Amino acid sequence: MTFTYYGHSCFAITLPSGERLLFDPFITPNPLAVGIALDDITADYILLSHGHADHVADAVPLAKRTGALVICAWEVYQWLEKQGATNVRPMNTGGTWRAPFGTVQCVVAQHSSGLPDGTYGGNPMGFVVATSTGTCYYAGDTALTLDMQLIPRRYRLDAAILPIGDNFTMGVEDAIVAAEYVACSNIIGVHFDTFDLIRIDHEAAIASFAARGFTLRLPTVGATIPLLMD
Ligand code: NI
Ligand code: MN
């Protein structure tokens, strides 16, 4: 399984079978993603954690061009359908989809979820993606929440993708506790540096995680790295 970073909270997980799961597409408005060509991005599935513009900006054109199945909250599904993106599976927090590649469960995220035009976006979510080759958690945009403690009761995580930019989501200090709650030492940080309000000190963040026994990776935009660690 590989992780390709497109900046902010947009990334793709590529499974050994070649299937590609794209999360939270926000590329064309992202100044840090100028090197990424939207037309080059492929996806079989597009997962949207919530309705904020910095997670759905490029969702409609990508969904239409790729034909990927979009996974999102009920209210985001209704918004997408109005814009002609019709290959969508609506879900809601707590639900599990038995997908061709494994399972996807929508889990609690403590955040908000208005769509770019002001439409109500329902509940924000995180996702646990479980496959025969590995299991990972993407927290979406969230505060540290006790609900995270439920995740290791059901899953043994190989990787956790956590927001760490603070201000709109958890910062580093709380993300370290989140890593403890979900019982995973392999952490990839997202939702940092895109805007002035969420700029972080990379070296300090990595050192803080390391001091608690966790590995934090902060991929560069455009990079592809192994999702799992030995
Ligand atoms: Ni958000
Ligand atoms: Mn966000």
Side-chain angles (χ1 to χ4, degrees):
M1 295 170 92
T2 61
F3 175 100
T4 300
Y5 192 44
Y6 296 118
H8 201 52
S9 284
C10 180
F11 58 92
I13 292 175
T14 306
L15 303 177
S17 57
E19 286 169 298
R20 286 192 105 228
L21 285 64
L22 179 71
F23 293 75
D24 287 355
F26 172 71
I27 294 150
T28 51
N30 183 355
L32 301 186
V34 284
I36 305 294
L38 198 64
D39 288 345
D40 292 344
I41 295 179
T42 60
D44 300 292
Y45 305 95
I46 298 172
L47 293 86
L48 306 177
S49 64
H50 64 295
H52 287 161
D54 60 319
H55 298 257
V56 303
D58 295 312
V60 171
L62 273 169
K64 288 182 179 174
R65 177 175 59 76
T66 62
L69 176 64
V70 182
I71 309 301
C72 60
W74 172 260
E75 291 81 0
V76 176
Y77 152 78
Q78 290 179 309
W79 179 80
L80 289 170
E81 283 227 311
K82 284 191 187 124
Q83 298 174 74
T86 52
N87 189 23
V88 186
R89 180 189 178 100
M91 294 187 69
N92 213 329
T93 326
T96 301
W97 169 41
R98 276 145 193 94
F101 53 83
T103 60
V104 176
Q105 184 174 20
C106 304
V107 295
V108 169
Q110 190 62 260
H111 191 65
S112 58
S113 181
L115 285 150
D117 61 2
T119 305
Y120 171 63
N123 288 328
M125 310 190 293
F127 298 105
V128 179
V129 177
T131 75
S132 58
T133 45
T135 298
C136 66
Y137 165 53
Y138 168 47
D141 277 9
T142 186
L144 176 66
T145 166
L146 289 167
D147 293 284
M148 292 168 177
Q149 296 183 2
L150 297 173
I151 291 172
R153 293 177 64 137
R154 177 158 168 186
Y155 303 99
R156 200 175 164 282
L157 297 181
D158 299 298
I161 299 152
L162 305 177
I164 58 165
D166 217 329
N167 197 79
F168 299 114
T169 67
M170 300 186 285
V172 168
E173 207 175 323
D174 281 351
I176 290 169
V177 180
E180 289 174 4
Y181 283 179
V182 301
C184 182
S185 60
N186 174 22
I187 308 299
I188 294 176
V190 294
H191 214 276
F192 63 92
D193 284 2
T194 319
F195 321 111
D196 283 342
L197 292 171
I198 60 172
R199 239 177 268 293
I200 64 162
D201 180 332
H202 293 206
E203 294 312 312
I206 290 165
S208 298
F209 273 81
R212 303 284 280 275
F214 301 120
T215 301
L216 173 68
R217 292 183 287 168
L218 300 177
T220 53
V221 178
T224 297
I225 59 173
L227 180 58
L228 310 183
M229 295 174 70
D230 295 327

